[in-house]
Amino acid sequence: MVKKNPPNLELLLSIFFFFLCSWISFAMAQNKTIPVNVGVVLDDLNSRNGKIWLSCIKMALSDFYASHANYKTRLVLNTRDSKQNVVGAAKADLIKNAEVQAILGPVTSMQAGFLINLGDQVHVPIISFSATSPSLNSLRSSYFFQFAQNDSSQVKALSAIVKAFGWRQVVPVYIDNEFGEGVIPFLTDALEEVDARVPYRSAISPSATDSQILEELYKLMTMQTRVFIVHMRTDLSSRLFAKAREIGMMTEGYVWLTTNGIPNELRYLNSSVISSMQGVLGIQTYVPQTVKLEEFMPRWKRQFQQDNPTIIDASLDVFGLWAYDSAFALAMAIEEVGTATFGFQKTNASFNSAVLESFEVSKYGPELCQALSTTRFEGIAGDFSLVDGQLQSSNFEIVNINGAGARGIGFWTPQNGLVKILGSSANSSIFSTPKSKLGLGPIIWPGDSLSVPKGWENPTNGKKLRIGVPVKDGFKELVKVTKDPSTNVTDVTGFSIDVFLAAVEMLPYALPYEFIPFAKSDGTSAGTYNDLIYQIYLGNFDAVVGDTTIRGNRSLYADFTMPYTESGVVMVVPVIDMRNQNAWVFLKPLTWDLWLTTCCFFFFIGFVVWVLEHRINEDFRGTPSHQVGTSVWFSFSTMVFSQRERVVSNLARFVMVIWVFVMLILTQSYTASLASLLTVQQLQPTVSDIKDVLRNGDNVGYAENTYIYELLKQVGFDDSKIKMFRSFEECDELLSKGSANGGISAAVDETPSMKLFLAKYCTKYAMIGPIFKSAGFGFAFQKRSPLVPDLSQAVLNVTEGEVILNIENKWFSVEKNCVDNSSPNVASYSLGLASFWGLFLIAGVASILALIICVASFLHKHRHILMHPDDSRASRWRRIRAMFKMFNEKEHSSRMFKSPQQRDGIAGAVVELNAAASPNNWPESPRSYISNHADFAEQATPSTGQVSPEIVSAVDHEHAITIARTC
């Protein structure tokens, strides 16, 4: 009997086999990949670079799919050799036959430009990892991706180096094709931003012979500029530097900068080429040394050596790293699109080329472009991210080629500029340090020089600097041009010439030059100063030296050095002597406010002394008119220290000491000022402002060929009122005549010219101003000439030392009998209150303080009168009147009213009790007082010679009561 399996076991087996089959089907479905054709276009697949870049692309795909085995898509490379032919680089069969979804390559910018148009038509992304020309951006294609650094990103680094070393002129030397021309506009703009000029552009043909290269280098040698920026491939630059060394252009004084194309491929150059580049300063793309890169390099080298055993010591450059990252990014983007089929579809688009008429359009090109634009990852060359289809700009390393290779000396970053160490803040940028202490490492310049080249030299063809000088009839102390008729030699002298010669002597190098008079064939001036400056712009002169004023309109055509003279336009006018022409001249030493203040203080001091002395000094008693007269007389007499009255109280003495000191200073100052007014020559200008000349309708003069005429027209002078003079003698003649007699009332010119005029005619004229602002005299040179900063520094050194004083003494000598009328004192000689208010303040405070002490002492002594119990209004008024009467009485305890015996120490004083009841309301005179009361005082005096204090107090008390009752 056969035993049957249980029903549950059969069910379980069925379920197991079902899931097993499903898993196998799923696994087989997962292993099914989608092949995607991509094209690879390289210059020469048999060249070193071609093999290196292709190996990087293959290794990138291998690494990508090894780490992403579950991805559906697989890139299939379709490699084509362009044979350095632009048409061959297109390879129509890549799109028509292979139907590639993207093209990796093209190596050169010209090839990329052609394929960009093709990619736009068929919607196929074109990815270049080596075409760096900025001109490709102008095509504005959404199907072109530049996975290499754009050359325009490095111009900022180059201009930063130029600015750091202060070079003012730079000549770019570039290959004459699309690669070379594309970066020049960006480079020129960057140099302009750092105030560096590009006087010449040296374009060398890719097919140039050695003789043509030499011809161009000789042309560069004849120029002043010694700073060159080389932008070309290594095949042409190797020949360029070899020829430059051959003719001596790699010696001290020259500066050679290179774009990153040369340092990036320096490892492929042989030693002889590198030896001809000693001292070159270049920039190269900085690749951070990450763990991923360190792991990749030996692995790639092993793989490349296995695939290419005939190539020994192969090395990887930054283009190979970008090729790796480009393939990696393309694989990521295609996987992101992730469609089951990648193909082309028919389109009605028309093409210019008959060969391309049958092309179809990629269906997923737009989606693939979108995926590429958003791709982000950490590549072996650094962070991979795109902005508008371009690889994000990264840092550059500054290298100095010495010995057998390049040596890093610093970095440039978009954020911080030039820095010595990456990661440094902007504060550590080398721009914050002088050239002698740059934050870069030590630089060995061409010719093994350690000193920074100044960037320009005198041309090697012996050309001298052509300096134009003005020619004029007068003012020859500034510039004088003479010509020897026998030798036909021109001699140029003058103040301006001597300053220029002194500045040239301070330059750290020789400066050959020649003076060329700006004159016609007959020797007369060929034009105005504006015309002379314009000759620099026309190229007829290299510079202009003379009494040329720095003006805004002239700076449009030339650059000026720092001024070497005083600035400003002044006016010279006749002067007249103002002595003894005023009957009230004795009042002029003091201003009206000082006179008024002094008079007020005379009365105030007299009142203070009267208050302090009235009760105790018989000289200040008597009738009211006598007291007023005495007080005023006493105060005013202190002015000449002739007062007869004595002061008794210490407070009055304190006040008088201060007041006498004030009067001493005031009278001495008055005497000195009056003596100056009466004895010193008081030369006053006839007019003190240019507006006065215009308002009076007088004539005004200006020097020939100067810009002063334009200023006078702007002020409002009519042509008929403006007269020109050609020399100092003619100017003196016109001023002497005066405007009424056909002359002028004022002469207007620059400060140095008028100083020369006053040095000759110092007793007749005075200088007013400046009436207009100006920058002074300066030397003019061609726009952005490298001589300007050096000569400006030299001019500052000349004007800050004794050299300029010696030159001024030589040309601006003043006659012995001359006084300085350059700045006449047109204001009053009077002394004002501002000079003495401190003294009056002290005297016033002292007087008020003495009054307060005196009044307080008097009120305290007689307080029993004010504190009477009766507080009615009438009683208060009577007490106040009593206090005034009491103040008007003598103070018998004073030494002034004692007998000689009492003053010697025999005390005793009896006050007559009925004195207050006298019909005479005014106190007696001192003499009557003494005669009437002397007997009583003698009778009241005991034989002992002493009077009891109680008696005196009682007498004073009874006297005060009597006065109060009388009131």
Side-chain angles (χ1 to χ4, degrees), residues 514-801:
E514 60 176 338
F515 292 123
I516 304 175
F518 183 54
K520 300 177 183 178
S521 57
D522 57 357
T524 60
S525 176
T528 64
Y529 281 80
N530 289 339
D531 299 331
L532 176 58
I533 297 298
Y534 192 66
Q535 299 302 310
I536 299 178
Y537 180 77
L538 297 177
N540 296 328
F541 294 137
D542 298 318
V544 167
V545 171
D547 52 337
T548 51
T549 305
I550 303 173
R551 299 279 294 168
N553 61 331
R554 296 174 181 175
S555 64
L556 298 175
Y557 307 104
D559 282 346
F560 287 87
T561 63
M562 296 293 292
Y564 60 89
T565 62
E566 297 179 60
S567 60
V569 176
V570 296
M571 177 176 65
V572 169
V573 297
V575 293
I576 55 175
D577 192 355
M578 302 296 293
R579 288 182 300 175
N580 301 327
Q581 295 187 11
N582 190 346
W584 301 94
V585 68
F586 66 91
L587 294 176
K588 292 190 66 177
L590 305 182
T591 58
W592 68 268
D593 54 346
L594 184 56
W595 278 116
L596 180 62
T597 303
T598 304
C599 291
C600 292
F601 260 82
F602 277 134
F603 289 102
F604 176 67
I605 294 298
F607 169 75
V608 171
V609 172
W610 176 81
V611 171
L612 299 177
E613 295 288 315
H614 174 64
R615 301 187 70 244
I616 62 176
N617 192 338
E618 63 181 8
D619 290 337
F620 291 89
R621 300 189 61 81
T623 61
S625 60
H626 175 77
Q627 296 182 54
V628 171
T630 299
S631 300
V632 174
W633 158 256
F634 176 80
S635 178
F636 275 85
S637 63
T638 59
M639 184 167 54
V640 291
F641 310 106
S642 62
Q643 65 274 15
R644 294 185 296 105
E645 295 77 11
R646 294 184 302 164
V647 289
V648 177
S649 69
N650 290 331
L651 290 176
R653 291 171 178 173
F654 168 70
V655 171
M656 288 306 300
V657 166
I658 296 177
W659 177 245
V660 169
F661 177 71
V662 173
M663 292 308 301
L664 176 65
I665 295 177
L666 193 62
T667 53
Q668 293 296 325
S669 301
Y670 174 86
T671 304
S673 180
L674 182 61
S676 175
L677 287 171
L678 296 177
T679 59
V680 177
Q681 189 180 36
Q682 303 297 319
L683 298 178
Q684 296 292 330
T686 54
V687 290
S688 59
D689 191 4
I690 190 68
K691 296 292 185 180
D692 295 337
V693 181
L694 178 63
R695 193 180 302 111
N696 298 334
D698 294 340
N699 298 333
V700 64
Y702 74 99
E704 182 184 19
N705 292 332
T706 62
Y707 68 96
I708 304 300
Y709 175 81
E710 303 170 4
L711 295 180
L712 296 176
K713 291 290 291 183
Q714 293 176 7
V715 172
F717 282 95
D718 187 75
D719 286 333
S720 60
K721 299 295 183 180
I722 303 176
K723 294 183 177 296
M724 179 184 68
F725 54 86
R726 296 177 176 83
S727 62
F728 288 154
E729 292 74 16
E730 186 177 356
C731 179
D732 173 57
E733 181 182 354
L734 291 174
L735 286 171
S736 300
K737 287 182 178 179
S739 182
N741 299 320
I744 57 177
S745 296
V748 181
D749 204 349
E750 289 276 354
T751 302
S753 301
M754 290 293 96
K755 277 191 171 183
L756 282 172
F757 180 76
L758 286 180
K760 191 173 183 179
Y761 303 99
C762 57
T763 59
K764 300 173 61 177
Y765 308 105
M767 188 166 67
I768 308 296
I771 58 175
F772 300 109
K773 294 292 185 180
S774 71
F777 292 164
F779 306 130
F781 289 85
Q782 291 179 345
K783 296 290 287 185
R784 298 189 181 179
S785 170
L787 280 171
V788 172
D790 291 346
L791 269 175
S792 293
Q793 182 63 46
V795 167
L796 289 177
N797 294 334
V798 169
T799 55
E800 290 175 355

Side-chain angles (χ1 to χ4, degrees), residues 52 55-56 59 63 292-316:
I52 290 175
S55 68
C56 290
M59 198 166 185
D63 291 346
K292 182 182 294 187
L293 179 61
E294 292 177 356
E295 182 272 336
F296 169 77
M297 292 298 290
R299 188 163 54 87
W300 170 85
K301 196 164 189 177
R302 287 194 303 269
Q303 183 64 40
F304 184 80
Q305 199 67 45
Q306 292 176 5
D307 297 339
N308 304 276
T310 58
I311 301 178
I312 303 174
D313 295 332
S315 58
L316 196 60

